[in-house]
Amino acid sequence: MREAFHEQLDGMFHDLASICESVETAVRLATEALLSGDATIAEGVISADAEIDRARERVEDSAFLLLSLQQPVASDLRTVVAALRMVSELERMGDLSVHVAKIARLRVPNLAVPADVSPTIERMAHVAEDMVRRVSKIITDRDVDEALALVREDEEMDQLRRSTFADMLSADWSHGVEAAVDVALLGRYYERIADHAVSVANRVVFVVTGENPRSVDA
């Protein structure tokens, strides 16, 4: 019985990693739509989000079934509860990718991001996508060291976010209010994707060690 229970736990983590891969694709395609002004790609990201939602529901159903049919000990209960929180974080990352795609679609046939700001936004997108990719492996391997490394490396995203504000507040900004709003929102969306990735990584650390990541890192 316990062996079957742990196989089900492993299955949940496999499903979480699969959702993370779908989120990575959503981030990549939403960015492609944003930088190219391709409405078809943007629509694809928006439509595909329904499958991420359904995957989240399947993980939640599995977790609640385990809780109702088994009597998990402390470490197993920690894993199930963490999985529920992680899948919520992953779904939110998918939602944020949809927000990026909707901004891209809204500005077609124009581009939402001015050319001089595009390198910063593109870098933010790359960092976010890379963090999501790494989270997928962290979930699969339950790799504490990699999780802690991801947490430490979130600083670049914060610096990029500050850079977008410096651009918008500069006296040289000549793109108007609409573009400023778009850039502010896009920066926030990518930053939040990274924040959720860090949160998922922290939860993996907690699952493996039972300790707050800050105390592990100390």
Side-chain angles (χ1 to χ4, degrees):
M1 180 73 93
R2 299 303 299 173
E3 183 178 346
F5 176 68
H6 284 103
E7 286 178 356
Q8 290 172 301
L9 282 180
D10 290 340
M12 265 201 308
F13 268 69
H14 178 272
D15 291 341
L16 288 170
S18 179
I19 294 171
C20 203
E21 291 172 1
S22 297
V23 171
E24 179 192 340
T25 299
V27 174
R28 175 174 53 81
L29 292 179
T31 302
E32 183 178 343
L34 180 70
L35 298 177
S36 67
D38 191 317
T40 301
I41 296 175
E43 289 290 354
V45 173
I46 295 166
S47 299
D49 188 57
E51 179 52 40
I52 294 176
D53 293 342
R54 286 190 290 269
R56 182 216 73 211
E57 292 170 0
R58 289 193 294 269
V59 169
E60 289 178 342
D61 289 345
S62 296
F64 291 138
L65 187 63
L66 281 176
L67 290 173
S68 64
L69 296 181
Q70 303 285 348
Q71 294 183 345
V73 297
S75 60
D76 294 336
L77 180 61
R78 183 172 70 230
T79 301
V80 175
V81 172
L84 284 168
R85 292 179 175 174
M86 288 160 66
V87 77
S88 177
E89 304 262 15
L90 293 172
E91 183 200 24
R92 184 58 185 146
M93 291 156 75
D95 292 341
L96 289 161
S97 300
V98 168
H99 293 337
V100 173
K102 285 183 176 179
I103 288 181
R105 184 183 62 178
L106 181 64
R107 301 306 175 204
V108 171
N110 300 314
L111 298 180
V113 182
D116 53 338
V117 185
S118 185
T120 302
I121 295 296
E122 189 171 359
R123 180 60 189 169
M124 293 185 83
H126 175 79
V127 171
E129 183 183 343
D130 182 64
M131 291 180 76
V132 176
R133 182 185 303 110
R134 291 169 63 186
V135 164
S136 179
K137 192 172 187 305
I138 288 167
I139 292 171
T140 300
D141 298 340
R142 303 195 195 183
D143 188 332
V144 170
D145 290 339
E146 180 65 14
L148 293 173
L150 183 72
V151 171
R152 288 191 294 266
E153 292 171 17
D154 186 45
E155 177 60 25
E156 181 180 2
M157 181 65 82
D158 295 335
Q159 291 175 348
L160 289 165
R161 175 77 164 135
R162 289 192 289 269
S163 177
T164 62
F165 276 113
D167 288 338
M168 288 183 293
L169 296 174
S170 169
D172 296 331
W173 182 265
S174 60
H175 308 293
V177 173
E178 184 177 89
V181 170
D182 286 345
V183 169
L185 288 174
L186 290 165
R188 180 59 174 163
Y189 296 153
Y190 284 121
E191 181 187 42
R192 288 300 296 152
I193 290 171
D195 288 344
H196 285 297
V198 167
S199 182
V200 172
N202 279 333
R203 295 190 193 284
V204 171
V205 175
F206 182 66
V207 164
V208 175
T209 68
E211 299 179 23
N212 184 293
R214 290 182 181 177
S215 65
V216 173
D217 193 34

